[in-house]
């Protein structure tokens, strides 16, 4: 057993993978049923040798992977309390894993980023609950904004061999993410269209993950996914599931603020689902919309 109380990965066995609906960066400081589920996920799987995170918030014009020894903690948001800006997640990086990503993706080109990025809140707001000691190497993979959805599905599948080397591949975004439609008066509810899209995405991901691309034709897609950045991390994990010929499993579900889905999915991990009756989020988690419009907060 490790100090964290979990077993190391079995040599040759596939490390679990997952997609987390990360929601507001305030979840880094909060304790609610979603953050409880993230902790349960970590407790239910072997301790990873390293983590490859695919965050909605590194959405750029190329595919790159962080390759610095000490990635900085990036506070890429606005209007939140000082306590959130004080959060530091000093996990080491891993040039070895970065180079393994480059090799696994070949012939798809992946650049090595030695100094421009780090760990953004899509990564550390989740990992500070899953692995609070920040003692597991973490590498981030960017999302290429110039590429179509099938590129990301294919790249996700190409990363599958990393799982057999003890690497936890973790996507972080939101299946439904429309900041302009957020309603602070609905802290633990979803609009009808958000719930419909979340429900139908679940039907796809828990049955035939490779069909995730069909969701772009869903009647509610333009409301649920006005920009693809938060949806694409789930496409990467769907690619992993397709490569494994296995469906994804719901780890926790629910919508918040009307237009965000917090639903999370796992591949090869089966923690108990945290019930909806547990502590929930509140409107106090958000910036003051009078000072910082929600769509400008970079949630």
């Amino acid at each position: 057993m490790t100090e964290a109380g979990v077993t190391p990965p079995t040599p040759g066995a596939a490390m679990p993978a997952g997609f987390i609906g990360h929601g507001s960066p305030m979840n880094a400081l909060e304790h609610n049923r979603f953050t409880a589920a993230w902790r349960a996920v970590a407790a239910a799987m072997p301790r990873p040798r390293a983590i490859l995170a695919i965050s909605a918030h590194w959405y750029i014009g190329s595919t790159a992977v962080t390759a610095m020894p000490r990635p900085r903690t990036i506070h890429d948001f606005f209007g939140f309390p000082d306590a959130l800006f004080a959060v530091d997640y000093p996990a080491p990086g891993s040039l070895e894993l970065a180079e393994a990503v480059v090799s696994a993706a070949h012939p798809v080109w992946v650049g090595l980023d030695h100094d421009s990025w780090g760990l953004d809140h899509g990564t550390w707001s989740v990992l500070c609950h899953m692995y609070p000691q920040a003692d597991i190497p973490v590498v981030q993979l960017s999302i290429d904004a110039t590429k179509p959805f099938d590129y990301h599905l294919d790249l996700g599948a190409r990363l599958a061999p990393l799982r057999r080397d003890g690497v936890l591949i973790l996507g972080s975004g939101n299946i439904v993410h429309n900041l302009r439609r957020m309603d602070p008066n609905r802290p633990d509810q979803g609009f009808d269209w958000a719930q419909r899209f979340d429900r139908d995405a679940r039907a796809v991901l828990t049955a035939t993950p490779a069909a995730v691309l069909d969701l772009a034709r869903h009647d509610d897609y333009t409301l649920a996914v006005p920009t693809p950045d938060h949806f694409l991390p789930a496409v990467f994990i769907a690619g992993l599931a397709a490569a494994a010929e296995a469906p994804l499993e719901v780890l926790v579900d629910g919508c918040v603020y009307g237009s965000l889905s917090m639903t999370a999915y796992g591949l090869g991990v089966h923690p108990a689902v945290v019930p909806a009756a547990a502590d929930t989020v509140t409107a106090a988690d958000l910036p003051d919309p009078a000072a910082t419009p929600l769509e400008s907060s970079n949630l």
Side-chain angles (χ1 to χ4, degrees):
M1 300 292 286
T2 68
E3 292 181 1
V6 293
T7 56
T10 302
M15 187 72 196
F19 168 81
I20 302 295
H22 68 245
S24 167
M26 284 298 291
N27 282 315
L29 304 180
E30 299 292 333
H31 296 279
N32 53 55
R33 71 183 182 94
F34 303 114
T35 62
W38 306 345
R39 292 192 295 272
V41 167
M45 67 172 70
R47 180 180 171 85
R49 182 181 65 81
I51 299 168
L52 175 62
I54 305 164
S55 166
H57 293 276
W58 197 18
Y59 186 63
I60 58 175
S62 62
T63 303
V65 65
T66 56
M68 64 282 293
R70 287 285 169 181
R72 63 192 175 100
T73 301
I74 302 172
H75 300 90
D76 52 330
F77 40 72
F78 309 96
F80 288 93
D82 290 345
L84 191 60
F85 289 91
V87 173
D88 184 38
Y89 192 78
S94 172
L95 179 58
E96 176 190 2
L97 176 54
E99 291 176 338
V101 171
V102 172
S103 178
H106 184 78
V108 175
W109 182 85
V110 178
L112 293 176
D113 170 30
H114 294 284
D115 54 16
S116 72
W117 202 242
L119 305 181
D120 60 54
H121 81 266
T123 293
W124 59 257
S125 69
V126 174
L127 292 184
C128 70
H129 288 282
M130 294 181 69
Y131 302 105
Q133 298 303 312
D135 56 355
I136 298 173
V138 182
V139 162
Q140 265 200 220
L141 179 67
S142 74
I143 300 173
D144 191 335
T146 71
K147 301 296 186 183
F149 275 22
D150 57 356
Y151 168 91
H152 304 287
L153 186 72
D154 173 72
L155 183 53
R158 290 177 184 274
L159 299 175
L162 300 177
R163 296 178 59 211
R164 296 199 173 275
D165 196 25
V167 176
L168 168 61
I169 302 177
L170 193 68
S172 178
N174 294 97
I175 295 292
V176 178
H177 185 266
N178 189 329
L179 297 186
R180 290 186 178 275
R181 297 291 183 119
M182 287 177 67
D183 182 355
N185 296 315
R186 296 174 178 255
D188 204 39
Q189 301 174 12
F191 295 119
D192 288 347
W193 54 265
Q195 294 184 64
R196 278 195 306 269
F197 188 82
D198 194 48
R199 177 199 64 209
D200 292 347
R202 180 186 320 178
V204 170
L205 293 170
T206 59
T208 53
V212 67
L213 303 183
D214 295 340
L215 290 169
R217 297 191 291 274
H218 193 283
D219 289 344
D220 297 308
Y221 176 79
T222 55
L223 274 175
V225 188
T227 58
D229 46 320
H230 277 69
F231 186 73
L232 282 170
V235 175
F236 277 91
I237 304 306
L240 282 176
E245 298 182 341
L248 295 172
E249 180 177 350
V250 174
L251 303 175
V252 66
D253 63 0
C255 291
V256 297
Y257 306 124
S259 62
L260 296 180
S261 162
M262 296 292 293
T263 305
Y265 294 91
L267 177 63
V269 60
H270 313 285
V273 175
V274 177
D279 290 343
T280 57
V281 296
T282 71
D285 295 341
L286 293 178
D288 179 0
T292 304
L294 296 177
E295 64 268 25
S296 300
S297 62
N298 197 29
L299 282 172

